[in-house]
Amino acid sequence: MARILRPALLAALAFMATQPTLAADLTARQVTEELYKASEDAPLDFSKRDLAGLDLAGLQFKKARLSEANLFGADLSGADLTEVDLSGAMLDRVVAIGARFDRAKLAGASLLRPTTTSSFETIRGEAPSFTGADLTRARLFGVFSGGSFAGARMAGATLAPHNDTGFIEMLWRSRLDSADMSAADLSGANLTHVSLRFANLKGTNLKGAVLKNADLSHADLTGADLTGADLSHADLDSARLSGVKGLDSATGIATVRNRDKAIN
């Protein structure tokens, strides 16, 4: 029986169909065969290889090295990239439904507008996981709602729109609604316009983070550190602020929306 594709996935496939044919260094079969024979003790090195557009869904990458690799538009649905080295890699437009990037090295990587759900609505279990990953200075833009970034290192990362206006095509802000960001390091990160509704930000390091126009309504910021953060026009409706550090040193407090509705 043919699999029924949901609207969001259909839209992603339609976009990919309009793009020029990508000439990867290897075929999907070659990558699959090499990974099958590999082991975590002797991981494969695909650094700087062109793997754009390949169907790599469901593969176990066994701690492979993919630093600076081009994975533009690749299908990584259900793939296990745990502890894989993807530093500086190009992951724009990948299909990452159910992919695991736990403890992966993604410093300086680009992950723009990935497909992370098969529907226009968040579906539990489909969001990719970045638990404990190194996303230092990485660039992310898209929908990561319900995903895990618990304990991730995201210092200097940016999830803001390219031109910081918040209006890019149909998707105008990164969405991390209900995401687990607990104990993550987001110091100095650019979270302009990001939606963090109902997100778990317990104990998160937000020192010097830019949260201009961010939606933090119903987010749990218990024990988070907001020292020197920019909260200009951020929405704190029903946000939990118990034990928050450095709020008195944050800038833009006078412009914060629904400050009186926050739960202290």
Side-chain angles (χ1 to χ4, degrees):
M1 181 181 294
R3 183 174 55 184
I4 298 175
L5 297 176
R6 294 178 181 271
L9 189 53
L10 282 171
L13 294 173
F15 169 82
M16 292 168 64
T18 64
Q19 303 308 298
T21 302
L22 302 171
D25 291 341
L26 300 169
T27 65
R29 180 170 180 172
Q30 288 174 320
V31 174
T32 301
E33 290 176 346
E34 291 195 35
L35 285 172
Y36 179 78
K37 294 182 290 185
S39 70
E40 292 188 356
D41 295 328
L44 293 176
D45 190 352
F46 291 124
S47 300
K48 298 184 179 180
R49 300 300 294 268
D50 186 352
L51 306 177
L54 295 186
D55 182 355
L56 307 174
L59 293 182
Q60 303 281 327
F61 279 79
K62 302 178 181 178
K63 300 182 181 180
R65 292 188 287 273
L66 288 136
S67 59
E68 299 184 49
N70 178 15
L71 288 151
F72 180 93
D75 187 352
L76 298 172
S77 300
D80 187 350
L81 295 110
T82 300
E83 297 185 31
V84 167
D85 184 357
L86 287 156
S87 52
M90 165 67 76
L91 292 155
D92 298 350
R93 294 284 186 172
V94 297
V95 180
I97 299 171
R100 302 193 67 85
F101 296 89
D102 299 337
R103 300 183 301 285
K105 299 176 182 177
L106 288 149
S110 179
L111 187 53
L112 306 180
R113 298 180 69 82
T115 298
T116 58
T117 178
S118 59
S119 172
F120 289 118
E121 297 180 0
T122 300
I123 297 177
R124 184 179 296 276
E126 286 196 344
S129 175
F130 297 88
T131 301
D134 181 2
L135 289 151
T136 306
R137 298 182 306 281
R139 178 159 181 76
L140 298 86
F141 184 78
V143 178
F144 301 92
S145 296
S148 175
F149 292 84
R153 289 171 285 166
M154 303 178 72
T158 179
L159 290 91
H162 179 66
N163 57 7
D164 272 3
T165 65
F167 298 98
I168 293 184
E169 300 176 16
M170 294 297 291
L171 180 66
W172 66 275
R173 71 190 325 174
S174 286
R175 305 199 69 93
L176 288 92
D177 302 329
S178 301
D180 185 356
M181 313 285 288
S182 58
D185 180 5
L186 284 156
S187 56
N190 187 345
L191 302 169
T192 301
H193 293 291
V194 174
S195 180
L196 290 156
R197 291 172 54 82
F198 295 95
N200 179 0
L201 291 158
K202 290 182 179 179
T204 302
N205 181 1
L206 290 160
K207 288 183 178 178
V210 180
L211 289 151
K212 292 188 294 185
N213 292 294
D215 188 348
L216 292 158
S217 55
H218 301 277
D220 191 344
L221 288 147
T222 303
D225 193 340
L226 287 164
T227 302
D230 185 350
L231 291 167
S232 300
H233 305 288
D235 191 344
L236 292 176
D237 185 7
S238 302
R240 295 182 178 276
L241 302 177
S242 177
V244 167
K245 307 169 188 174
L247 191 58
D248 56 345
S249 69
T251 60
I253 292 296
T255 68
V256 167
R257 290 172 286 158
N258 296 309
R259 175 68 179 87
D260 59 322
K261 297 181 181 178
I263 303 171
N264 294 304

